[in-house]
Amino acid sequence: MIANEQMVAVLEALPDPAFILSSSGKYVAVFGGSDARYYHDGRGLIGVRLQDVIKPAKAAWFLQIIDRALSSRRLLIEEYELSNKDVKGLPDEGPTEPIWFEGRIQALDFLVDGEEVVLWVASNISKRHDLELKLREMSDTDQLTGLFNRRRLERDISIHFDNFTRQQMPTTVLMLDIDNLKQINDAKGHHKGDENILAVAEICRREFRKTDYAYRFGGDEFIVMLPGLMPNQAMAMVEGLHQHFNQALAALAEDCPSATISMGMTGINAKDASYQDTLKRADMALYQAKTQGKNQLIFTP
């Protein structure tokens, strides 16, 4: 059998901190946290309440999780962030990135001073969280342009279609194609074609609203979603963007054919059975713009 003194030594050697917290948010005991790369000595918290050291909104979240663990009697696993802005008495200035933790919370089968208590083990997962974000970004981002890719488009447009179906929130959809890109690639090489693709991507980043989303659909095709706008409301803005696209592409022309932009525009409407119907209509409008002479905007209701 391990003696009590030895058990205390084991608990103190835990790399991650383990807190015993009461139902009212009191720090009853603190163990572990021996990994000095990530944690400070937390024993000074004993006897203090969460509400005394954590700002109200975050403290309320902790108390909610404690209550859920006590009610369910199940092991809860929660990811959460903490920054200097969450801690009372610290200036708002400080590290710009919050620290991410994985909390494992389990109700204990005894009372302390008449209160139910939980064991809360907090593991610093900031590096893992950053890696997960980077991997998610890579899976959603086009490698050449840095815009969102087709995978992300399908996820986002399904959300906007659902918003229209449930709440009639409009979304205008643009499909863009770079005219004459094949001739430019043949005459100057694909690096020149890539310059034109990157110029279009930069206009998307610079000129669209923060609430708009641009995607590289494939090759020289792009899709832009303008949430909150009916096509008639978006028309003036889109016509202005068309000019910006063509000005940027003309600046790259040199002694080869100048690229231009053909555009098809539509909006999600009540006749659409799915977002695929919306995309097909935008594609048909773009095809019409290409076959009718290129470098124009065609709107299909």
Side-chain angles (χ1 to χ4, degrees), residues 105-283:
I105 308 99
Q106 177 67 61
L108 298 174
D109 294 326
F110 57 84
L111 303 180
V112 175
D113 295 332
E115 286 193 87
E116 294 183 296
V117 292
V118 301
L119 175 67
W120 188 306
V121 180
S123 301
N124 188 319
I125 60 166
S126 295
K127 288 185 177 180
R128 189 188 84 189
H129 186 266
D130 290 345
L131 178 59
E132 289 173 351
L133 286 179
K134 289 176 182 176
L135 290 173
R136 191 178 303 126
E137 181 180 342
M138 288 173 62
S139 69
D140 288 346
T141 304
D142 174 65
Q143 186 174 6
L144 174 63
T145 63
L147 299 180
F148 290 134
N149 57 20
R150 189 166 183 161
R151 170 191 173 117
R152 177 64 179 263
L153 166 70
E154 292 176 352
R155 186 178 75 188
D156 289 353
I157 195 171
S158 66
I159 293 172
H160 290 295
F161 184 83
D162 187 61
N163 288 340
F164 177 84
T165 303
R166 294 175 181 272
Q167 303 175 27
Q168 288 71 57
M169 292 179 60
T171 293
T172 292
V173 178
L174 304 176
M175 188 172 284
L176 323 175
D177 182 90
I178 303 177
D179 304 319
N180 307 320
L181 191 64
K182 184 179 185 303
Q183 294 92 315
I184 294 170
N185 284 335
D186 292 343
K188 295 292 184 179
H190 285 272
H191 69 282
K192 191 65 178 180
D194 286 350
E195 287 183 10
N196 284 267
I197 291 172
L198 288 168
V200 172
E202 179 57 30
I203 293 294
C204 290
R205 273 189 289 269
R206 191 176 72 225
E207 299 295 338
F208 287 115
R209 304 171 303 165
K210 290 183 179 180
T211 54
D212 301 331
Y213 302 88
Y215 309 81
R216 188 181 180 197
F217 195 55
D220 57 352
E221 285 190 348
F222 299 80
I223 285 181
V224 175
M225 289 194 297
L226 309 174
L229 293 178
M230 298 289 289
N232 62 325
Q233 297 172 314
M235 185 65 72
M237 181 179 74
V238 172
E239 289 175 343
L241 290 167
H242 195 189
Q243 295 179 6
H244 286 298
F245 284 129
N246 283 342
Q247 289 169 0
L249 294 173
L252 297 172
E254 298 177 351
D255 57 347
C256 59
S258 175
T260 55
I261 288 286
S262 292
M263 308 173 70
M265 182 170 73
T266 191
I268 299 173
N269 66 45
K271 295 181 180 179
D272 293 338
S274 69
Y275 70 79
Q276 286 92 342
D277 291 339
T278 311
L279 292 180
K280 287 177 183 176
R281 196 164 52 255
D283 187 51

